[in-house]
Amino acid sequence: MRRPRPPFRTIALVLQGGGALGAYQAGVYQGLNDGGIEPDWLAGISIGAINTALIAGSPPAQRVANLRTFWETVCRPAIAQPLAAVMQSWVGQLGDEARRMFNAVTAWRGVVEGQEGFFKPRLPPPWLSVSLPPAEASYYDISPLRTTLAQLVDLERINAGSPRVSVGAVNVRTGNFEYFDNTVGPWKGRLRLEHFMASGALPPGFPPVEIDGEYYWDGGLVSNTPLGHVLADEPRHDTLAFQVDLWSALGMVPTNIWDAQERQKDIQYSSRTRAITDLMAREQELRNIVRELLKYVPQDTRLSDHWCTRADQWACGRQVSVIHLIYQEKEWDGLAKDYEFGPQTMRDHWASGLDDIRASLAHKEWLELPPHHERFVTHDLHRQ
């Protein structure tokens, strides 16, 4: 159902990293598109940056189709197995444990063979050499990803600046986190495919990506979500952020070593989002307190006093609403869920994202400005 634009100056779609789980984000975008909500800022890290490139680099009417083409492409095994889809469908009818074992085999095949249109193993293996060029110091070659993106992403459209695009990566030499942005900063109007690939270059699987003489790795090494970057932008506007997370902070206490490793991933990659959300909520509360207190200061003092001038620059009464869309663990998920690219699994992830955004958009009040006395609110379908 199409709907009027929510009454926020900025509508942001914030996409976390999570490998094969990124199909969930594609489902979320489809639901937003179906509902007539068009984000004017796309911010992503890792697989979130790849999805950002596909959305921003496609004509609006073609975005969902290009997302589908990408995910259908990279979820094909490098070595075709004609009956694989039939087998997975059949195994799924045998129950969650059978599906989990089949998914583990699919993930193992991806590790050994690579994924069509995404990555392929290096031959000879890199551990046979003690010194390699930086762009070859990895288990996999990601040149197939560049070819796939080049067929689907229009860089001129991205660099035109609408919607705004921000993707994060880490400078390997300095260890500093950096955002590549199409509207501000040194990369304004000149983003390349390498910027998006760099954001998803997770070592040691993928090599660092060279950009203007510097090498960059996956932004998830420092922060797995760009929510803080979006909410810290100046000038501060009323903002509605759809925060799409691929790792859930909530989960079961593991009872074996494999589940323990999987749970460790969930906590490691989800905790950053929780911390940033709490920090931003607290900061906005303090900014609004300063704004209200300044009303009691005489106008001439506000204009002449140094501390009042600084406080006035910091004060802010904007309103923020964050709608969390968090992938929920399936019984058949396992340790390899972020690199299990099976076609049926991809479609299930996509469907989950679509279901979650549709259910979230059914809460019409979530798309309105918060009550006047509230400056920062969060909504989460799965915590209602």
Side-chain angles (χ1 to χ4, degrees), residues 181-209:
D181 197 294
N182 67 341
T183 61
V184 297
W187 305 107
K188 177 181 178 180
R190 60 190 195 98
L191 293 184
R192 310 197 305 265
L193 293 178
E194 283 75 15
H195 292 94
F196 300 95
M197 294 172 62
S199 183
L202 184 65
F206 297 163
V209 176

Side-chain angles (χ1 to χ4, degrees), residues 207-228:
V209 176
E210 190 269 330
I211 302 174
D212 289 2
E214 294 282 0
Y215 286 90
Y216 294 89
W217 268 335
D218 192 309
L221 293 176
V222 172
S223 175
N224 201 36
T225 176
L227 181 63

Side-chain angles (χ1 to χ4, degrees), residues 34-240:
D34 292 346
I37 295 179
E38 196 58 53
D40 41 47
W41 191 349
L42 301 168
I45 288 175
S46 197
I47 196 63
I50 302 300
N51 281 330
T52 291
L54 293 162
I55 297 168
S58 302
Q62 191 67 24
R63 288 171 177 172
V64 173
N66 282 358
L67 282 167
R68 181 71 70 179
T69 297
F70 173 82
W71 283 99
E72 292 284 359
T73 297
V74 303
C75 287
R76 293 199 298 262
I79 300 176
Q81 184 178 349
L83 297 178
V86 175
M87 290 176 61
Q88 185 165 32
S89 178
W90 176 71
V91 167
Q93 299 175 28
L94 298 180
D96 292 330
E97 277 305 312
R99 172 78 180 269
R100 191 167 182 166
M101 293 178 63
F102 184 87
N103 287 359
V105 173
T106 302
W108 174 82
R109 287 193 63 198
V111 169
V112 174
E113 302 169 11
Q115 293 293 146
E116 180 72 20
F118 198 163
F119 59 88
K120 58 185 179 182
R122 292 193 184 277
L123 296 174
W127 56 78
L128 297 179
S129 178
V130 296
S131 180
L132 292 167
E136 297 178 16
S138 65
Y139 293 122
Y140 300 99
D141 174 5
I142 57 173
S143 60
L145 174 61
R146 194 185 196 289
T147 300
T148 301
L149 292 178
Q151 296 169 350
L152 297 171
V153 175
D154 181 349
L155 290 171
E156 289 188 8
R157 181 177 291 273
I158 290 176
N159 286 315
S162 181
R164 183 175 177 180
V165 166
S166 303
V167 294
V170 177
N171 185 305
V172 178
R173 181 180 60 83
T174 66
N176 292 332
F177 191 91
E178 183 174 346
Y179 276 102
F180 306 131
D181 197 294
N182 67 341
T183 61
V184 297
W187 305 107
K188 177 181 178 180
R190 60 190 195 98
L191 293 184
R192 310 197 305 265
L193 293 178
E194 283 75 15
H195 292 94
F196 300 95
M197 294 172 62
S199 183
L202 184 65
F206 297 163
V209 176
E210 190 269 330
I211 302 174
D212 289 2
E214 294 282 0
Y215 286 90
Y216 294 89
W217 268 335
D218 192 309
L221 293 176
V222 172
S223 175
N224 201 36
T225 176
L227 181 63
H229 178 67
V230 169
L231 297 184
D233 188 54
E234 299 282 356
R236 294 171 179 268
H237 301 302
D238 291 342
T239 299
L240 172 62

Side-chain angles (χ1 to χ4, degrees), residues 2-3 26 46 48 53 61 67 111-112 140 145 157 172 213 219 224 246 252 277 284 288 307 319 334 341 375:
R2 309 297 288 184
R3 66 189 74 232
S46 197
L67 282 167
V111 169
V112 174
Y140 300 99
L145 174 61
R157 181 177 291 273
V172 178
N224 201 36
L246 302 178
M252 302 294 291
T277 304
Q284 186 56 48
N288 191 54
W307 293 108
Q319 293 181 283
F341 286 88
R375 297 292 157 179

